[in-house]
């Protein structure tokens, strides 16, 4: 019989064998027990890529992975984990088992497997054999559970998302450059900033003093009508400029081309020729623009009444920097004086105006230079101007020559404007204008010194109400002092306005008004207080058919004299655009002046039909 000692030894050996077998199973990854849950519905793992391994103590443990070269705080790897996947008993999965291995420092070779390496407590790899049973590659099931590998290669440089919204640049900080497109007409400028003034040379009240009474009534028809873009002229590209030429020929009848009293009026067939050219620069900054017009009215049945007319303006703006720009302007006007002008009547000794053989010419030309500095919303403009007025001699039928050299003068003016932009649609301003007028002759034919100094003060605002009513309006007072003590100083109110009301997309209303002190050589009169206003309504019946109805009012009050003049004019014009470059135009003009001087009153009816060409 076996002894008790032998039984105890046998039981002890069995325990040692069982313990050795348990340790061997725990150390082998292929023999380690897995605790993956399989779905009874799909037959696949419920949570692919995440399973349970056997911990050293034999209990289930979550399978964790570490990236190569990293170690957890506890620094203990699972005995059954491989170095490629970094199997650990704790921590998060930071690297896919299918990601390319990172070679160990000083040990990696091209093409060598890293499955036999291990992570020590310091996070460094240790040597190992790629042929060991514990260094097997991941199985197909493990590959299906693993996260997709990261992309290899450099990051893309292509556009992955298009920009859908671009913030609009500030117009004061970044200039917006718009090049004209061939075949698309340029937008016409809108009043009151249009190139050609609503009344030539009336925008500045000081210049109004150089004009003769009655001239204004015949000049409000020279402006082109804004047309539908489909029929607007395209123009030509000449270098960096857009040039818009035009030519018009009209035929009609003028009932009183001499603009004299009714008993001396002689009607005639009228042939009117007009030519104009507008140009505009296409520069990124600064600008140069101009508008030039010339016309000639031929009256074959009354050659003495034939007369030319021309006016033009050229403006240049230099953008020195963001807040400073310099402006320069040149202007001119050529017109004729009516033979019934009171200045001619008095100078001719009250001779009948019908005795004049020609209408004497009037020429006004000048230039301005100024600068505008902007301080945030406050802007200050300083502008200096010089203008000259010249009058041609009048010749009578008996050979008498009326010398008008004593009416020639120069005017020097300085204007200071301070404006504050409350908002983009409202900017109040204060204008101070001082000028001096110096005649070529020290004394006129009557021995009177006509030199004078004047100053005016204006308060106004430029505005745009709801984008339908835009313009500028101002009011103030003017004072003019004369060198000759026999001429009384003049104090008078001053009103200027230029308004555009867009009643509808088809109808536009324009209103202008100006006041000033006009020069005269009538004995005893220091000057003429002139008030003028013009109202014009334009309506587009169709895209290619426009009608314009307008009227002007003129009032001349001779200071220190009993002479008074009141004048009115009415206009009706129809433009029918046959094509973009050809327009059929019909015009009717009525003018009338009632004067307290005998032989100075007149009325005139003009009918014209013609073609306008915009090549």
């Amino acid at each position: 019989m076996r002894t008790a000692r032998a039984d105890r030894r046998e039981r002890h050996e069995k325990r040692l064998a069982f313990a050795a077998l348990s340790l061997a199973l725990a150390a082998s990854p292929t023999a380690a027990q897995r605790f993956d849950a399989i779905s009874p519905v799909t037959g696949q793992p419920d949570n692919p890529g995440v399973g349970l391994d056997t911990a050293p103590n034999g209990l289930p443990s979550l399978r964790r992975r570490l990236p190569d070269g990293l170690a957890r705080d506890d620094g203990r790897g699972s005995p059954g984990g491989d170095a490629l996947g970094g199997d650990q008993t704790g921590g998060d999965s930071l690297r896919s088992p299918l990601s390319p291995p990172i070679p160990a420092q000083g040990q990696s070779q091209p093409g060598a497997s890293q499955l036999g390496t291990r992570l020590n407590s310091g996070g460094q790899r240790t040597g190992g054999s790629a042929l060991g049973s514990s260094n097997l590659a991941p199985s197909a099931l493990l590959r299906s559970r693993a996260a997709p590998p990261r992309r290899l290669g450099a990051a893309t440089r292509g556009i992955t998302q298009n920009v859908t919204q671009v913030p609009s640049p500030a117009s004061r900080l970044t200039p917006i450059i718009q090049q004209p497109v061939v075949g698309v007409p340029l937008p016409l400028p809108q009043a009151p900033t249009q190139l050609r003034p609503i009344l030539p040379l009336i925008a500045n009240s000081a210049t109004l003093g150089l004009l003769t009474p009655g001239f204004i009534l015949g000049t409000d028809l020279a402006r082109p009508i804004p047309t539908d873009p489909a029929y607007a002229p395209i123009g030509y590209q000449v270098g960096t400029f857009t040039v818009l030429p035009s030519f018009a020929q009209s035929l009609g009848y003028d009932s009183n081309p001499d603009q004299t009293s009714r008993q001396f009026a002689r009607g005639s067939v009228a042939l009117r020729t007009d030519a104009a050219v507008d140009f505009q620069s296409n520069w990124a900054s600064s600008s140069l623009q101009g508008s030039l017009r010339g016309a000639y009215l031929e009256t074959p049945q009354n050659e003495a009444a034939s007369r030319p007319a021309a006016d033009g303006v050229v403006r240049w703006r230099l953008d020195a920097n963001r807040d400073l720009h310099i402006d320069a302007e040149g202007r001119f006007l050529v017109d004729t004086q009516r033979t019934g002008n009171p200045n001619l009547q008095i100078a001719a000794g009250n001779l009948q105006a019908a005795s004049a053989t020609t209408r004497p010419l009037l020429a006004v030309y000048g230039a301005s230079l100024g600068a505008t500095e902007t301080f945030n919303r406050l802007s200050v403009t300083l502008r200096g101007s010089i203008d000259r007025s010249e009058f041609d001699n009048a010749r009578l039928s008996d050979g008498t020559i009326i010398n008008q050299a004593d009416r020639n003068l120069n005017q020097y003016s300085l204007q200071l404007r301070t404006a504050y932009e409350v908002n983009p649609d409202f900017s109040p301003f204060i204008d101070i204008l001082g000028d001096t007028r110096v005649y070529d002759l020290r004394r006129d034919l009557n021995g009177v010194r006509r030199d004078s100094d004047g100053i005016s003060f204006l308060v106004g605002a430029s505005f745009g109400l709801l984008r339908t009513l835009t313009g500028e309006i101002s009011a103030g007072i003017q004072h003019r002092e004369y060198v000759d003590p026999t001429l009384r100083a003049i104090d008078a109110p001053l009103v200027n306005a230029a308004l555009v009301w867009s009643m509808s997309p088809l109808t536009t209303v324009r209103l202008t008004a100006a006041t000033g002190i006009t020069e005269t050589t009538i004995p005893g009169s220091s000057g003429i207080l002139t008030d003028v206003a013009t109202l014009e309504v334009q309506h587009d019946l169709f895209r290619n058919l426009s009608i314009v109805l307008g009227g002007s009012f003129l009032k001349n009050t001779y200071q220190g004299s009993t002479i008074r003049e009141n004048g009115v004019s009415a206009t009706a014009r129809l433009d029918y655009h046959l094509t973009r470059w050809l327009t059929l135009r019909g015009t009717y003009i009525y003018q009338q002046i009632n004067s307290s001087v005998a032989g100075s009153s007149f009325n005139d009816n003009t009918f014209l039909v013609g073609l306008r060409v915009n090549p």
Side-chain angles (χ1 to χ4, degrees):
M1 294 183 65
R2 301 175 60 180
T3 63
R5 180 181 299 271
D7 293 338
R8 287 196 299 270
R9 181 179 302 150
E10 184 179 358
R11 288 195 299 270
H12 181 67
E13 289 177 356
K14 290 182 180 180
R15 290 172 183 169
L16 290 177
F18 180 77
L21 180 60
S22 299
L23 289 176
L25 291 177
S28 176
T30 57
Q33 185 178 359
R34 303 289 182 174
F35 296 90
D36 294 333
I38 303 300
S39 172
V41 179
T42 62
Q44 300 294 330
D46 284 338
N47 194 3
V50 178
L52 299 177
D53 288 338
T54 304
N57 56 7
L59 298 178
S61 175
L62 288 175
R63 190 181 310 144
R64 305 289 184 176
R65 297 189 180 275
L66 279 177
D68 295 344
L70 297 179
R72 291 296 172 189
D73 293 339
D74 54 10
R76 294 177 299 176
S78 171
D82 55 30
L84 175 63
D87 289 357
Q88 295 289 325
T89 58
D92 297 332
S93 176
L94 300 178
R95 184 173 176 86
S96 170
L98 300 182
S99 300
I102 299 178
Q105 296 181 1
Q107 296 181 1
S108 63
Q109 296 181 358
S113 173
Q114 300 295 318
L115 296 177
T117 61
R118 291 290 186 270
L119 292 176
N120 58 18
S121 59
Q124 302 296 329
R125 289 188 179 273
T126 61
S129 175
L131 302 178
S133 60
S134 62
N135 295 310
L136 297 179
S139 62
L141 180 61
L142 184 59
R143 290 177 183 273
S144 64
R145 294 178 179 178
R150 295 183 180 179
R151 293 174 180 167
L152 302 179
T156 178
R157 295 179 179 271
I159 299 176
T160 58
Q161 183 177 2
N162 293 328
V163 178
T164 58
Q165 294 183 355
V166 178
S168 59
S171 59
R172 291 188 176 183
L173 300 179
T174 305
I176 300 177
I177 306 172
Q178 295 181 351
Q179 296 294 341
V181 180
V182 176
V184 179
L186 295 177
L188 293 177
Q190 299 295 328
T193 59
Q194 60 185 15
L195 181 59
R196 179 172 294 150
I198 295 180
L199 293 177
L201 301 181
I202 302 300
N204 188 343
S205 61
T207 311
L208 178 63
L210 305 181
L211 305 179
T212 56
F215 138 84
I216 301 172
L217 296 180
T219 61
D220 59 335
L221 300 176
R223 300 182 317 282
I225 301 177
T227 58
D228 189 276
Y231 294 92
I234 298 176
Y236 298 93
Q237 296 297 321
V238 181
T240 58
F241 288 85
T242 300
V243 182
L244 301 172
S246 64
F247 175 81
Q249 181 64 56
S250 302
L251 173 66
Y253 179 80
D254 194 333
S255 64
N256 186 9
D258 284 313
Q259 295 183 341
T260 185
S261 57
R262 180 176 301 177
Q263 59 270 29
F264 296 103
R266 289 188 301 167
S268 173
V269 174
L271 300 172
R272 183 178 176 92
T273 303
D274 294 87
V277 58
D278 296 337
F279 59 90
Q280 169 72 53
S281 64
N282 302 316
W283 302 340
S285 63
S286 305
S287 68
L288 178 64
Q289 57 182 347
S291 178
L292 309 175
R293 182 188 68 93
Y296 188 82
L297 179 64
E298 175 70 22
T299 53
Q301 297 171 313
N302 188 356
E303 289 293 342
S306 300
R307 57 189 181 271
D311 68 85
V313 58
V314 177
R315 294 180 180 140
W316 174 62
R317 189 192 78 246
L318 173 63
D319 298 326
N321 53 50
R322 188 186 68 175
D323 299 325
L324 174 65
H325 64 87
I326 300 173
D327 299 289
E329 177 182 293
R331 53 189 176 270
F332 74 93
L333 181 141
V334 176
D335 200 36
T336 56
Q337 306 171 62
R338 60 188 178 91
T339 56
N341 191 306
N343 291 278
L344 289 176
Q345 292 285 60
I346 300 299
N350 291 325
L351 295 177
Q352 292 296 335
S355 61
T357 58
T358 58
R359 294 172 59 117
L361 291 173
L362 159 69
V364 179
Y365 50 91
S368 300
L369 180 64
T372 301
E373 178 73 22
T374 302
F375 307 91
N376 197 0
R377 294 190 176 188
L378 181 69
S379 63
V380 179
T381 302
L382 182 63
R383 178 179 292 108
S385 302
I386 178 173
D387 294 278
R388 178 166 177 79
S389 179
E390 295 183 357
F391 297 84
D392 193 14
N393 295 333
R395 186 182 299 273
L396 303 181
S397 57
D398 59 359
T400 303
I401 295 178
I402 302 176
N403 190 355
Q404 296 192 94
D406 60 339
R407 301 183 67 184
N408 299 337
L409 75 151
N410 296 324
Q411 176 179 267
Y412 310 92
S413 61
L414 186 65
Q415 180 183 11
L416 175 64
R417 168 175 287 198
T418 302
Y420 182 79
E421 184 183 282
V422 178
N423 56 59
D425 294 330
F426 183 71
S427 297
F429 63 83
I430 298 176
D431 254 352
I432 300 177
L433 175 66
D435 70 275
T436 180
R437 298 172 183 173
V438 180
Y439 282 77
D440 292 353
L441 301 180
R442 183 177 178 86
R443 297 180 184 272
D444 62 10
L445 298 180
N446 299 311
V448 179
R449 299 180 61 185
R450 291 284 177 177
D451 295 349
S452 62
D453 298 317
I455 187 172
S456 62
F457 179 81
L458 283 168
V459 177
S462 57
F463 52 85
L465 303 179
L466 302 178
R467 303 298 181 183
T468 58
L469 179 61
T470 60
E472 179 179 301
I473 186 171
S474 59
I477 190 172
Q478 56 185 336
H479 172 79
R480 179 158 295 278
E481 191 79 24
Y482 293 87
V483 174
D484 198 298
T486 61
L487 300 179
R488 188 179 62 183
I490 299 178
D491 295 298
L494 188 61
V495 177
N496 292 326
L499 304 177
V500 178
W501 179 26
S502 300
M503 296 180 59
S504 70
L506 302 178
T507 306
T508 303
V509 179
R510 302 180 184 90
L511 172 64
T512 60
T515 58
I517 299 176
T518 308
E519 295 296 306
T520 182
T521 55
I522 293 180
S525 177
S526 54
I528 308 172
L529 181 60
T530 301
D531 301 303
V532 61
T534 299
L535 179 65
E536 187 178 28
V537 180
Q538 173 184 324
H539 181 71
D540 297 334
L541 301 175
F542 300 99
R543 298 187 66 183
N544 62 334
L545 182 61
S546 300
I547 184 172
V548 176
L549 300 176
S552 298
F553 173 77
L554 172 69
K555 180 180 180 181
N556 291 322
T557 304
Y558 289 72
Q559 301 297 306
S561 175
T562 58
I563 300 177
R564 300 290 185 271
E565 288 182 329
N566 293 318
V568 294
S569 70
T571 304
R573 181 171 56 198
L574 188 69
D575 275 12
Y576 180 69
H577 299 276
L578 302 174
T579 63
R580 183 187 293 276
W581 60 272
L582 185 61
T583 303
L584 177 64
R585 169 172 292 183
T587 304
Y588 168 72
I589 307 173
Y590 174 78
Q591 299 180 64
Q592 176 180 337
I593 286 184
N594 297 321
S595 175
S596 59
V597 177
S600 293
S601 300
F602 79 94
N603 61 71
D604 182 19
N605 294 274
T606 304
F607 304 88
L608 294 173
V609 176
L611 290 175
R612 179 183 177 90
V613 180
N614 299 299

